[in-house]
Amino acid sequence: MSSGSQTLPESEILKIFEERFNPDEEYLGIDKEVNRTEPLVSVYIVTYQHAPFIRDCLDGVLMQKTSFPIEILIGEDESTDGTREICMEYAEKHPDKIRLFLRDRKTSQLYDDDGNIVCRFNGKWLRKCKRGNYLAFCEGDDYWTDPFKLHKQISLMKQHPECHLSFHPVELIWGRNTGRPQIYKKHSDHNRIYSTEDLIIGGGEFCPTVSLVINTETSQFDPWRFKMPVQDYFSQVVASFNGGALYINEVMAVYRKGVPGSWSEKHKSYLKMCEHSLKMINANRIFDKVTEFKYHRSFKTREAILFKKYSLFKIYDYDRTTIDDVKKLTNKYLHGKLRVKGYLYILMSFFYYKIKMKYLFKIKNSLKNDK
């Protein structure tokens, strides 16, 4: 869930966020059975152009067997492919569970004067509407496969009250592929607690979004919600501050990659990935300062990963136009000493790829292995 480039002050974005928020967008009004209950868990579903997948998503949530009430929050961002109509159909059939919010993209998207996205409000408004003590995530192109997923996660979190976040491995599939999925983010063969440092270094992909359950009564994210390019990642980090993140070694959901318009598709090209990495490097610097450098070493390790694995270190493996575009992005997003560091990585890329030093490393490793 990216919030795009930020060219407006935080205070101005927050003001617009509040002014545009319209609780009357709740489909079928507020006098539904679901609104008369006190849910323990709010299930968070943002969806746009997910017509081939949204039924799987909603069915996976509706099949949950729990001893506590839940509410299903759907933020439908004015799809044109039939997603909106499917969500309305489900809301009409399940007024005891579903709260559907029909967004208008004229107000849910905030642009700057140059037409660039500054912020998307759909998901943020959805969080504002939640009433449960826990927030569970399932985006419109993903789905849950275990009917006891919520029951298991909430039960185990109550056994570990110090943990305000739980997650688990998932199945990974590509697009509409019905072939054999692979297991994704299986970190251990048993339940265990991972530290805040583990989550920072692992990045947003360490905890699959579709697996997340967060105790929102004890873990708040509001102070930094508009500054961060990927809100899920920083939500995870904040939620882990008290007692880490509870890993449950059960596959209970499917994460779908390669869907048109999805995060993974938007960031598939090197240029897009590079821009995202530079934004994340900046955001990590902000977050490091906000947390009074308590996790400084972990943020520096993550920064090196972003520079080397996803960003500037690979620049000279691409064509001249891409190289020029990435240099422009570096000047746009990095400043001061951080920009100097960025250009050092560009210089290393020049020697490694352009001067072909990568072959020297291969020869060296080959000789080392032959000994």
Side-chain angles (χ1 to χ4, degrees), residues 170-200:
V170 299
E171 293 179 346
L172 170 64
I173 62 175
W174 288 90
R176 304 187 192 188
N177 181 22
T178 57
R180 186 174 181 179
Q182 66 184 82
I183 304 303
Y184 185 68
K185 299 305 174 184
K186 181 177 173 64
H187 300 304
S188 174
D189 290 328
H190 53 82
N191 295 356
R192 57 164 293 182
I193 295 172
Y194 283 93
S195 68
T196 299
E197 289 84 355
D198 291 325
L199 269 63
I200 292 171

Side-chain angles (χ1 to χ4, degrees), residues 99-369:
R99 297 174 62 202
L100 169 62
F101 296 85
L102 300 177
R103 307 299 189 201
D104 177 351
R105 286 177 76 81
K106 291 188 180 75
T107 57
S108 69
Q109 314 284 304
L110 178 61
Y111 295 87
D112 62 18
D113 293 338
D114 296 324
N116 300 310
I117 281 282
V118 175
C119 200
R120 294 179 173 90
F121 293 147
N122 182 25
K124 296 172 176 60
W125 283 335
L126 209 58
R127 290 190 185 211
K128 186 178 176 69
C129 295
K130 69 95 186 168
R131 296 178 299 139
N133 294 344
Y134 296 86
L135 190 62
F137 294 77
C138 189
E139 295 187 344
D141 52 347
D142 301 329
Y143 61 98
W144 297 348
T145 55
D146 187 333
F148 294 98
K149 171 184 154 67
L150 285 182
H151 170 78
K152 291 174 183 177
Q153 288 187 260
I154 298 300
S155 296
L156 286 168
M157 289 178 76
K158 287 183 176 179
Q159 292 176 29
H160 295 273
E162 75 280 9
C163 292
H164 303 155
L165 164 69
S166 71
F167 70 107
H168 56 79
V170 299
E171 293 179 346
L172 170 64
I173 62 175
W174 288 90
R176 304 187 192 188
N177 181 22
T178 57
R180 186 174 181 179
Q182 66 184 82
I183 304 303
Y184 185 68
K185 299 305 174 184
K186 181 177 173 64
H187 300 304
S188 174
D189 290 328
H190 53 82
N191 295 356
R192 57 164 293 182
I193 295 172
Y194 283 93
S195 68
T196 299
E197 289 84 355
D198 291 325
L199 269 63
I200 292 171
I201 294 170
E205 65 271 20
F206 190 83
C207 306
T209 301
V210 68
S211 75
L212 292 175
V213 173
I214 294 177
N215 185 334
T216 56
E217 292 303 295
T218 54
S219 173
Q220 297 298 325
F221 181 68
D222 289 353
W224 310 289
R225 63 185 168 186
F226 297 112
K227 287 184 178 180
M228 303 308 173
V230 179
Q231 185 165 312
D232 289 350
Y233 167 53
F234 295 98
S235 294
Q236 296 167 27
V237 173
V238 170
S240 71
F241 281 166
N242 188 61
L246 177 61
Y247 170 82
I248 301 169
N249 186 38
E250 291 191 52
V251 177
M252 297 186 281
V254 168
Y255 167 46
R256 200 189 305 266
K257 274 191 173 184
V259 174
S262 67
W263 189 93
S264 58
E265 279 297 289
K266 289 177 182 176
H267 294 81
K268 189 164 60 175
S269 73
Y270 171 71
L271 197 61
K272 285 289 185 181
M273 181 59 74
C274 192
E275 182 175 20
H276 171 72
S277 297
L278 295 174
K279 289 179 183 179
M280 288 299 293
I281 287 166
N282 250 338
N284 277 336
R285 285 285 178 108
I286 294 170
F287 208 57
D288 192 16
K289 185 176 181 180
V290 166
T291 53
E292 298 179 339
F293 305 102
K294 183 177 179 180
Y295 306 101
H296 182 64
R297 182 173 294 179
S298 299
F299 278 119
K300 294 296 286 184
T301 300
R302 183 61 190 169
E303 182 175 289
I305 292 171
L306 287 168
F307 267 131
K308 189 169 183 180
K309 184 176 179 181
Y310 301 117
S311 189
L312 303 182
F313 185 72
K314 295 182 179 180
I315 179 173
Y316 275 96
D317 198 28
Y318 291 86
D319 59 82
R320 184 74 248 175
T321 301
T322 302
I323 292 170
D324 291 341
D325 287 341
V326 171
K327 286 181 177 178
K328 290 176 185 176
L329 290 174
T330 304
N331 290 329
K332 178 179 179 180
Y333 291 110
L334 302 185
H335 306 279
K337 292 181 179 179
L338 196 54
R339 183 182 291 175
V340 173
K341 188 173 183 178
Y343 270 92
L344 284 174
Y345 272 95
I346 290 175
L347 182 62
M348 286 191 291
S349 177
F350 176 79
F351 285 111
Y352 191 77
Y353 289 104
K354 192 73 172 177
I355 309 299
K356 309 297 184 184
M357 285 184 67
K358 62 180 178 180
Y359 297 113
L360 294 179
F361 282 97
K362 289 180 180 179
I363 294 170
K364 177 186 174 184
N365 291 334
S366 178
L367 293 173
K368 185 177 179 181
N369 293 331

Side-chain angles (χ1 to χ4, degrees), residues 53-64:
F53 316 112
I54 190 64
R55 290 185 187 275
D56 288 341
C57 172
L58 296 176
D59 289 341
V61 178
L62 287 165
M63 75 175 179
Q64 293 300 300

Side-chain angles (χ1 to χ4, degrees), residues 35-99:
N35 298 79
R36 295 192 290 269
T37 63
E38 295 185 11
L40 180 68
V41 179
S42 298
V43 181
Y44 168 100
I45 301 173
V46 291
T47 184
Y48 177 69
Q49 303 294 75
H50 288 150
F53 316 112
I54 190 64
R55 290 185 187 275
D56 288 341
C57 172
L58 296 176
D59 289 341
V61 178
L62 287 165
M63 75 175 179
Q64 293 300 300
K65 301 181 186 301
T66 65
S67 59
F68 47 81
I70 70 172
E71 63 174 4
I72 303 170
L73 305 177
I74 308 173
E76 205 298 304
D77 210 16
E78 203 171 12
S79 302
T80 57
D81 68 342
T83 303
R84 197 175 188 90
E85 290 72 21
I86 294 171
C87 290
M88 292 165 66
E89 172 195 328
Y90 272 74
E92 290 164 7
K93 288 181 179 177
H94 303 279
D96 59 325
K97 293 283 181 66
I98 292 178
R99 297 174 62 202

